Amino acid sequence: MTNVVVIGSQWGDEGKGKIVDWLSERADIVVRFQGGHNAGHTLVIDGTSYKLSLLPSGVVRPGKMAVIGNGVVVDPHALCAEIDKLAGQGVTITPDNLRIADNATLILSLHRELDGIREDAAGKSNGGVKIGTTRRGIGPAYEDKVGRRAIRVMDLADIDTLSAKVERLLTHHNALRRGLGEPEISHDTIMQELTSVADRVLPFRDTVWLMLDRERRRGARILFEGAQGSLLDIDHGTYPYVTSSNTVAGQAAAGSGMGPGSLGYILGITKAYTTRVGEGPFPTELTDEIGQFLGERGHEFGTVTGRKRRCGWFDAALVRQSVATNGITGIALTKLDVLDGLDELKICVGYTLDGEEIDHLPASQGQQARVVPKYITLEGWKESTVGARKWADLPAQAIKYVRQVEELIGAPVALLSTSPERDDTILVTDPFED
Ligand code: IMP
């Protein structure tokens, strides 16, 4: 298979950064296809640490083309800030190594503000639902995209029509703001905000679907870099406690303009336990000292917001669902070493709902809150698995745990990551070589 799609199979933060970086070395093009600068990961290359939120991982590697697809929501100011920060670290970003889809939606300051207003009101202005968003304006920007009033990248090139589009957008937003008791925003403010970045953003714009089609025909290896996780998917996640885009693998096609038949290997990044940031159901959450242990050992703090992540046992029922909704070919199992030293380990295999046994998380919010996990218990291991690079380096109980995970989720382990170091990986299948 030529192309690879990397997605998170849980609630995000599965450790995609290291795997995407490892794969991007083998790829010609790295494409983001959903989300925005709500994502975040750190790449460590030759001892230098690079923090990326919006830009695809490929940008830090010479000779790779990074692409922001139409499914991404782009904050142009955050984009420029990220480009400038990388320039300070010696990474030069030009249209030779970055392209942005001309039909991608822009995030404006009014989106970021609205996101914050809704969160600050503890859900009062959002029908009583506090999501715990990253406050980056992601949701409000996608709302405008679906509402067909968004400002898109190519609009920056045509000031005359841009003005009319801003007018239309503000008619909607100022009505909303009046209802929330917030001051109205002037047309000039938004025009100034957009025209001040137009010259910096426009050189990167491209007809991305066309470029990808040409490159695909040429035999280029394309890596699709998902953000967040499948359980934060707007349709398949724990709605309404989700992000505002489709995070499942199918979106790699719709969010880039490449046909689904060309997607290739679907690699689901899967943490050996479960974490979640923000609000929402989490059946296997541990609020005891084991949860605390996982959080500390696993350094479970959000990359973008610094928030403490909630931690819990591995939920095989949830990942089984992700295997199905993404069409996962194989998984990259990460952070196995965080479980080192625990006496016993539990894996959730299904749930009990109102006395009835079920094998998947129901879609209903009320039912999601009521499910009780059913666990199997496995013996832990005392040895350290940190830095293991072959199966023989792993204790027998750790191998048993991994085999049990594979069996329960119905997908094989392609890669096993045993530390943040890129070489501390057990490679079973190279997704690009499959
Ligand atoms: P939003 O994407 O900022 O609208 O936030 C919606 C939900 O997605 C919140 O629960 C966030 O914590 C979560 N979220 C967004 N981006 C990430 C991510 O990169 N990792 C984990 N959770 C995320």
Side-chain angles (χ1 to χ4, degrees), residues 11-14 16 35 37-40 115 119 131-140 227-229 232 240-245 276-280 302-305 307 309:
W11 278 294
D13 310 311
E14 296 91 352
K16 288 186 282 298
H37 62 312
N38 49 347
D115 203 353
E119 288 292 308
I131 307 294
T133 73
T134 58
R135 296 169 175 257
R136 298 289 193 270
I138 307 293
Q228 290 86 44
L232 288 171
Y241 302 99
V242 291
T243 192
S244 302
S245 59
R276 140 161 242 178
V277 260
E279 311 295 319
T303 321
V304 169
T305 59
R307 286 179 292 174
R309 296 179 188 140

Side-chain angles (χ1 to χ4, degrees), residues 281-295:
F282 184 171
T284 63
E285 182 169 14
L286 290 165
T287 50
D288 59 7
E289 68 281 1
I290 299 179
Q292 183 95 2
F293 170 87
L294 295 174

Side-chain angles (χ1 to χ4, degrees), residues 145-202:
K145 172 179 177 170
V146 177
R148 290 165 288 202
R149 55 182 170 262
I151 310 294
R152 306 197 293 172
V153 169
M154 89 279 271
D155 295 328
L156 297 175
D158 184 348
I159 296 295
D160 295 338
T161 60
L162 178 65
S163 177
K165 284 178 179 135
V166 168
E167 186 86 52
R168 191 163 160 262
L169 183 72
L170 283 177
T171 304
H172 172 83
H173 275 271
N174 280 334
L176 198 62
R177 292 175 68 93
R178 281 194 297 276
L180 293 170
E182 295 291 329
E184 294 192 16
I185 297 172
S186 77
H187 183 266
D188 277 359
T189 304
I190 300 299
M191 284 302 286
Q192 153 67 20
E193 178 181 327
L194 290 170
T195 51
S196 68
V197 282
D199 286 349
R200 286 204 66 191
V201 174
L202 285 171

